[in-house]
Amino acid sequence: MHAWPASEVPALPGQGLPLRVFDTATSSVREVVPEGPTARLYVCGITPYDATHLGHAATYNTFDLVQRVWKDAGHDVLYVQNVTDVDDPLLERAVATGQDWTELAARETALFREDMTALRMLPPAHYVGAVESIPWIVPLVKQLLATGAAYELDGDIYFSVDADPHFGEVSGLGRDAMLPVFAERGGDPQRPGKKHPLDALLWLSARPGEPAWDTELGHGRPGWHIECVAIALKYLGMSFDIQGGGSDLSFPHHEMGAAHAQVATGEHPYAQAYVHAGMVALDGHKMSKSRGNLVFVSKLRREGVDPAAIRLALLAHHYRTDWEWTEQDLAQAQERLARWRAAVSRPDGPPAEGMLAEMRAALAEDLDAPGALAAVDRWAAAQAADGGQDIGAPGLVSRAVDALLGVAL
Ligand code: 5CA
Ligand code: ZN
């Protein structure tokens, strides 16, 4: 499917620093060094049964920063994102609200694109739905069946977690700790007949009233983890640089995905680094479509909130911390946006090269966006206090804020 239009990334003088980022698999901040000129990024996309909320936006903001740091360091970026356009929660919502599931998915995906465009998130080169990836999922599952890593159970096909000696390396969880999380996040540890309770569905045979496709695996639909693997392998290949998503995806989704891919290809690792954004909460709970405690990007935009202020509100939190959205987040971001806009609207100001270096250093060191905002705040304060004679400075600040943070002043 098509993605959304790209906003231009202004060129900056000099070059940024190599990206260091927290990798869940090694539990450490490390330099992620793309093998060639092109950095490869896969980010898990939405399940389109409701509008984009601020938690989603915070996660996509994180991986937008990854791309901006890489580009500033001289890399091209090959970015792939999926849309889980057939899965249980989408089908359940469609039934509950009496909508056609394809129409629901198409409408919410269209709204997501609008929100991403308004927030100036760089679009993926390949934006791919689960449904359109079925032709690549089928041979992958066949390959797993052929190696004995997958087995059939009443027409469904499961992946055997014992087939991957590296299983557990992504999340770092032991099997006892995995079980309750697996049950919470879509798994079925109790189903009788499975070889191991943690084995995950690769293929579901057709259920009454649910969509299904006729394939060599039978009449059915794909499981969730294999969808992302098929798309990532097709467009990025093994050992791509970063697998990204919110921290709720580290287990089971990214753990299972890595295991599927590693067993199917016989190669390791699936990704060089697994990067996870913290969860955004509202009223004391993680924002989630299932709980319904949501602040939608589109609702704020409808109320006339400048998307640049929404983006600044997200940037004010370090991506790895869990945080709670409050009215104050937005008020502070709006105040900052007005302050920065006033500061760059003058024809000259204090020199900005130092600020650019500070922004680059902050972002390259585990995407410290609050540190980057503080550097701009200091320049804006100097501008407000004493001004300056440097004619290029306000332009450089506004280009740096746009190129590195995706905020248009
Ligand atoms: N379609 C799957 C991924 S393949 C999925 O998890 N979809 S989602 O719509 O539930 O979430 C989309 C992205 O937003 C995921 O990366 C998820 O980790 C992230 N996300 C969901 N809720 C939050 C939240 N409250 N805070 C931060 N990120 C969130
Ligand atoms: Zn995914």
Side-chain angles (χ1 to χ4, degrees), residues 371-395:
L373 297 193
V376 184
D377 281 343
R378 284 191 292 275
W379 181 87
Q383 171 74 308
D386 313 313
Q389 269 74 56
D390 193 333
I391 290 190

Side-chain angles (χ1 to χ4, degrees), residues 64-383:
D64 193 71
L65 293 181
V66 165
Q67 295 178 70
R68 289 172 186 277
V69 172
W70 268 338
K71 281 174 183 282
D72 189 41
H75 292 287
D76 293 326
V77 180
L78 181 56
Y79 174 30
V80 178
Q81 189 182 128
N82 69 304
V83 187
T84 308
D85 57 2
V86 61
D87 201 10
D88 296 344
L90 171 72
L91 300 174
E92 284 160 16
R93 175 66 63 93
V95 169
T97 55
Q99 300 177 79
D100 178 273
W101 65 277
T102 56
E103 279 170 23
L104 173 60
R107 194 180 60 242
E108 297 303 347
T109 305
L111 185 56
F112 176 74
R113 288 189 190 97
E114 294 304 315
D115 287 338
M116 292 296 106
T117 309
L119 292 171
R120 292 173 83 80
M121 304 283 182
L122 298 169
H126 302 282
Y127 191 47
V128 190
V131 172
E132 61 189 334
S133 66
I134 290 173
W136 325 312
I137 293 175
V138 171
L140 207 52
V141 175
K142 281 178 67 182
Q143 164 76 12
L144 290 168
L145 282 165
T147 60
Y151 60 93
E152 222 184 296
L153 182 61
D154 301 331
D156 295 336
I157 303 173
Y158 277 91
F159 175 77
S160 179
V161 293
D162 285 330
D164 183 18
H166 297 285
F167 184 70
E169 287 180 5
V170 173
S171 63
L173 295 176
R175 295 198 176 194
D176 288 346
M178 286 176 179
L179 275 169
V181 188
F182 186 62
E184 247 167 57
R185 299 184 182 159
D188 55 358
Q190 311 285 4
R191 180 166 174 181
K194 288 172 66 173
K195 290 187 181 167
H196 190 287
L198 290 170
D199 291 348
L201 275 167
L202 292 166
W203 186 259
L204 293 77
S205 63
R207 270 58 169 168
E210 285 192 359
W213 288 263
D214 274 319
T215 72
E216 292 174 65
L217 301 171
H219 191 59
R221 65 178 166 97
W224 172 31
H225 318 302
I226 196 72
E227 161 198 345
C228 284
V229 174
I231 296 168
L233 291 184
K234 177 165 173 78
Y235 291 105
L236 300 176
M238 280 298 276
S239 299
F240 58 89
D241 294 289
I242 290 181
Q243 160 73 74
S247 59
D248 57 341
L249 298 187
S250 64
F251 188 85
H253 187 50
H254 293 163
E255 188 78 67
M256 293 294 176
H260 295 354
Q262 283 156 187
V263 174
T265 62
E267 293 170 38
H268 176 269
Y270 178 49
Q272 301 288 341
Y274 299 85
V275 177
H276 294 111
M279 288 292 113
V280 181
L282 182 71
D283 303 331
H285 294 277
K286 169 195 155 184
M287 264 187 212
S288 72
K289 289 179 278 205
S290 45
R291 184 175 270 275
N293 56 333
L294 306 168
V295 178
F296 294 122
V297 172
S298 46
K299 177 164 180 287
L300 293 176
R301 291 175 55 213
R302 243 176 237 124
E303 289 165 3
V305 175
D306 188 328
I310 303 176
R311 181 115 191 199
L312 276 180
L314 305 174
L315 289 161
H317 297 269
H318 191 273
Y319 81 96
R320 268 208 284 145
T321 49
D322 294 335
W323 54 282
E324 173 137 2
W325 173 266
T326 66
E327 289 287 315
Q328 259 207 321
D329 283 280
L330 191 59
Q332 280 168 1
Q334 285 168 322
E335 183 275 324
R336 177 176 265 138
L337 185 62
R339 194 159 29 87
W340 287 9
R341 281 187 172 153
V344 299
S345 69
R346 298 202 203 163
D348 45 26
E353 287 79 8
M355 181 218 70
L356 174 59
E358 285 166 18
M359 285 181 82
R360 281 174 160 155
L363 291 170
E365 185 59 32
D366 202 21
L367 306 173
D368 179 9
L373 297 193
V376 184
D377 281 343
R378 284 191 292 275
W379 181 87
Q383 171 74 308

